[in-house]
Amino acid sequence: MKAWIVLLMALCLPLMVQASEEEEDAEKAPAPVVAYVTLAPALVGNFGDGPKLKFFKADLSLRVTGVDVEAKIKHHEPLIRNQLVMLFSQQTEEAMAAAGSREVLRAEALKQVQDVITQEEGQPLVEDLLFNNLIIQ
């Protein structure tokens, strides 16, 4: 009986060692780095229609995960900036002044950025878009 127990323990020991090594490897793996890519300088343009010009100034940051993704976003920054300026310039004064309009605009801007990056890179890469500052005049 003791021989069976010793044999069973001898067979299970390598499995226990392998499981603990896998846990240690998982703990040693670096966590992905979250980065915020700020689009600088701020986006500036006019919007709306009518006799009086209305201006916007938007300071934006894009949240991404990974150093390589950050580099890709910086590479495509001119395309992203163009897409966002076009989006903001198409807004009406009523849409910009309405309650909750900034959240709607933020969601649409994120969608447009993700669409552009998906066309270029094959996946959205941008997790979120944040307004650091949005001034409408």
Side-chain angles (χ1 to χ4, degrees), residues 35-42 59-62 70 74 77 81 132:
Y36 292 90
V37 179
T38 301
L39 301 180
D59 290 312
L60 302 170
S61 292
L62 305 173
E70 184 178 0
K74 287 182 180 179
E77 185 175 338
R81 292 175 68 81
N132 297 331

Side-chain angles (χ1 to χ4, degrees), residues 2-117:
K2 288 185 179 181
W4 281 102
I5 294 175
V6 171
L7 180 62
L8 185 60
M9 289 180 64
L11 292 174
C12 292
L13 186 60
L15 294 175
M16 293 185 334
V17 169
Q18 181 181 4
S20 67
E21 287 175 358
E22 288 174 358
E23 289 175 4
E24 289 175 5
D25 289 344
E27 291 173 3
K28 291 179 185 177
V33 177
V34 174
Y36 292 90
V37 179
T38 301
L39 301 180
L43 304 173
V44 178
N46 57 355
F47 70 97
D49 50 356
K52 187 177 176 185
L53 285 177
K54 292 148 190 76
F55 298 96
F56 69 88
K57 178 183 176 189
D59 290 312
L60 302 170
S61 292
L62 305 173
R63 187 181 69 187
V64 298
T65 301
V67 176
D68 57 332
V69 174
E70 184 178 0
K72 289 177 183 179
I73 296 302
K74 287 182 180 179
H75 175 74
H76 295 297
E77 185 175 338
L79 183 60
I80 293 169
R81 292 175 68 81
N82 179 65
Q83 192 69 27
L84 291 173
V85 167
M86 296 304 290
L87 172 67
F88 292 143
S89 66
Q90 293 170 356
Q91 301 303 308
T92 63
E93 183 178 7
E94 294 81 27
M96 294 287 253
S101 63
R102 289 186 186 203
E103 179 57 30
V104 172
L105 185 60
R106 186 199 68 76
E108 181 60 28
L110 174 61
K111 181 184 174 300
Q112 296 237 350
V113 168
Q114 288 177 332
D115 289 347
V116 166
I117 295 299

